[in-house]
Amino acid sequence: MQMRLDKYLCSCGLGTRSVVKRIIKSKRVTINGTTADSSDLKVDETSLVKLDGKKLEYNKYTYIMLNKPPGYLSATKDNNKKTIIDLLESKYQNIGLFPAGRLDKDTVGLVVLTNDGDFAHNTLSPKKHVKKAYIAHIEGNLPPDASEIFKKGVILKDFTCESADLIIEETLSDYTIVKVTIQEGKYHQIKRMFFSLKCNVIYLKRISFGEIELDNSLKEGEYRLLNEKEMEFVKAVR
Ligand code: URA
């Protein structure tokens, strides 16, 4: 597929449109051995594009792991509130990234951001059984049969959840720490599942998404590109 040279260079991670336009103007880019003198030039995935004599790698899609802090919307744009896109460097702001599965504003932890619609769609499809694991703090105590109820599939007003895994990690004086693994990603799903047991979720953190685990070296608000091993999962789900 043909595309403009500036768009191609953005996808290689060289920076924003204005940054790459400046790079092109300074005659540092060649296409198949010829110096590029305009952002309008057309290239495709087979073109040999070099910057300062070094071959560039074109990435059709970008995949980022973000450790979401509280207080940010899992949206791409909002007129008043901060979104997770605001946490990214400018070179990632205009390449169509969106979250593969949203987290609530107060939920923290793993969000995969991508501009690959097929991958994002498949991770949410019940057919693909992509598991999402969370650590939750539950106010007070859970009913003794909570794990069995989750295993059978919690019945909510509008749908019945697939079987979920609930492990009690620690019971403290005023709250209980649990690990819960679900297979879908419906709106407020975990909070609603616990609410059906008359329990309140007071803290929620996503720790894994399919085979991708939250990198503990990322502080809240930090992110990185998916590594090779994580990309294997992406390829398997696509
Ligand atoms: N379930 C919820 O209730 N909230 C989230 O953010 C994610 C899953």
Side-chain angles (χ1 to χ4, degrees):
M1 193 188 64
Q2 288 224 316
M3 74 191 90
R4 290 168 55 98
L5 178 61
D6 51 0
K7 181 162 186 271
Y8 180 99
L9 295 180
C10 287
S11 302
C12 295
L14 292 192
T16 58
R17 278 279 167 100
S18 59
V19 167
V20 303
K21 275 181 193 228
R22 247 180 284 135
I23 293 175
I24 296 164
K25 261 199 186 147
S26 62
K27 307 264 166 66
R28 293 166 60 197
V29 178
T30 58
I31 305 169
N32 300 328
T34 306
T35 301
D37 55 3
S38 161
S39 300
D40 302 333
L41 290 169
K42 296 283 187 291
V43 283
D44 64 32
E45 287 165 38
T46 65
S47 307
L48 176 61
V49 183
K50 291 185 179 177
L51 171 68
D52 299 332
K54 266 203 207 128
K55 184 177 178 293
L56 294 173
E57 290 301 330
Y58 171 71
N59 299 312
K60 188 166 181 198
Y61 297 119
T62 300
Y63 306 87
I64 285 175
M65 167 189 299
L66 166 74
N67 185 0
K68 179 189 173 299
Y72 283 79
L73 291 182
S74 287
T76 51
K77 227 179 191 166
D78 192 272
N79 286 340
N80 306 307
K81 302 199 183 75
K82 297 174 288 189
T83 76
I84 50 177
I85 300 294
D86 296 329
L87 293 162
L88 307 177
E89 299 158 75
S90 53
K91 69 176 181 184
Y92 292 128
Q93 300 232 347
N94 296 309
I95 56 169
L97 294 176
F98 61 90
R102 289 162 179 250
L103 293 182
D104 297 336
K105 192 176 166 201
D106 57 348
T107 302
V108 297
L110 175 60
V111 177
V112 175
L113 286 153
T114 186
N115 42 16
D116 177 350
D118 290 339
F119 166 70
H121 176 79
N122 285 346
T123 60
L124 299 177
S125 158
K127 280 186 221 134
K128 294 274 179 177
H129 298 285
V130 172
K131 294 190 173 168
K132 292 105 187 163
Y134 295 80
I135 294 294
H137 294 184
I138 312 299
E139 206 172 13
N141 290 319
L142 283 162
D145 56 349
S147 295
E148 279 160 50
I149 297 171
F150 272 39
K151 183 124 287 172
K152 277 192 197 140
V154 174
I155 301 166
L156 299 175
K157 226 195 217 161
D158 49 343
F159 91 111
T160 301
C161 305
E162 300 254 346
S163 174
D165 220 40
L166 175 66
I167 298 168
I168 314 258
E169 299 272 344
E170 212 175 340
T171 306
L172 300 165
S173 57
D174 47 0
Y175 65 96
T176 306
I177 303 176
V178 300
K179 181 178 172 192
V180 52
T181 307
I182 58 173
Q183 304 192 36
E184 316 93 330
K186 300 275 183 202
Y187 187 60
H188 292 331
Q189 184 170 335
I190 303 245
K191 289 174 186 161
R192 292 172 67 203
M193 286 165 79
F194 282 103
F195 200 65
S196 74
L197 306 179
K198 302 197 169 42
C199 295
N200 263 338
V201 175
I202 51 175
Y203 170 84
L204 191 58
K205 175 179 185 173
R206 182 152 65 192
I207 56 168
S208 69
F209 186 78
E211 283 161 31
I212 302 173
E213 288 181 10
L214 179 62
D215 180 338
N216 285 326
S217 71
L218 292 176
K219 298 198 189 85
E220 282 185 2
E222 292 184 343
Y223 60 90
R224 64 159 170 79
L225 293 173
L226 293 192
N227 63 28
E228 257 176 58
K229 187 167 166 271
E230 291 153 355
M231 285 305 297
E232 291 301 317
F233 166 72
V234 171
K235 282 178 209 148
V237 173
R238 282 199 94 240

